[in-house]
Amino acid sequence: MTSTSVRVALRVRPLNNKETLQNCNECLTIIPDAPQILIGTDKSFTFDYVFPSDTEQEEVFQDCVSPLIDKFVEGYNVTILAYGQTGSGKTYSMGTALDGSNISPENQGIVPRAISKLFAVLNKRKEKNPTFDFEVYVSFLELYNEDLIDLLNPPCRENNKKGKSDLMIREDVNSQIYWAGIKEVQVSDPVELLGQLQKGSLCRTVASTDMNMVSSRSHAIFSVILKQTRVENLEENKENDAPPPETSTTSKRKSKQKSLTSKITSKFHFVDLAGSERLKRTNAVGDRAKEGIAING
Ligand code: ADP
Ligand code: MG
């Protein structure tokens, strides 16, 4: 599965209290030493990663996410999407429910772990190379029905309701979708960055359905924007472009004192999608039912 940059990881959550009380049994069998599951006895599915219900948060992070942080610092754009029905563990795995500080370190999800690794890697790089510099920005968006809401710019939320938002989703000439008018907040350390995530989380639109007492009914996109400045001696190999090893021999003589300043911007998007369940299963009624159609339609 190396021919594509898309990887799919399956994480099975443990039975919750309600399911245990109802004597539910796990209906999945995980094939040992293969990223494969069996539903019932005959339907098998293969993924890039499979995490059984006893998997710790740290293992999910180390296997799937940690290598992506290295790619992100190299200059690649990365997106992680959490997909699944309400109550399946999307927010738990992403670690975006930062409503208090009572989450123990071992239960922290992907986002806080990724952020601390990111700053550790960047600071180490800066220590080694004083000409290296970086800036980190964050943005936090919510897509609720057809509305785009800037969670880090609450006045926009008000404007949004009156239809005066500056936020726009557009399509460029290459049919690439992009958004404009979103606040990007500069942060200097993991605590500040997670503070912004917490601030935005408080603004998120949540409501109750039968399946989860406080289920998120909106898509949330938390983005980390990394702007790096590298001053490279032209005699050195450009580490960023993954060049063939022999390029180091080419421009040696002329460029003794010359240096090249390169600026690289990369984005890491963490997306916590709204529940993927079909409408009839949630017993949602009225506006909530219409909402379900709009969100998953
Ligand atoms: P979703 O965001 O998909 O609606 P949540 O992340 O809110 O689901 O998870 C629902 C509940 O299940 C939460 O109380 C969460 O703490 C718990 N949970 C989810 N996954 C796990 C897991 N792997 N281990 C322990 N508890 C989990
Ligand atoms: Mg959730």
Side-chain angles (χ1 to χ4, degrees), residues 11-14 53 85-93 212 272:
R11 184 178 195 183
V12 183
R13 88 155 155 69
S53 57
Q85 73 172 48
T86 303
S88 59
K90 299 181 296 296
T91 303
Y92 177 84
S93 295
N212 199 355
D272 189 358

Side-chain angles (χ1 to χ4, degrees), residues 33-49:
D33 303 320
Q36 223 175 39
I37 57 151
L38 267 183
I39 298 183
T41 51
D42 54 349
K43 283 190 193 143
S44 83
F45 296 91
T46 306
F47 300 85
D48 295 294
Y49 308 88

Side-chain angles (χ1 to χ4, degrees), residues 160-177:
N160 225 31
K161 282 186 192 142
K162 296 177 206 145
K164 280 196 285 182
S165 169
D166 293 335
L167 307 186
M168 278 170 296
I169 302 182
R170 291 194 165 161
E171 198 176 327
D172 71 11
V173 285
N174 301 319
S175 302
Q176 299 274 358
I177 307 288

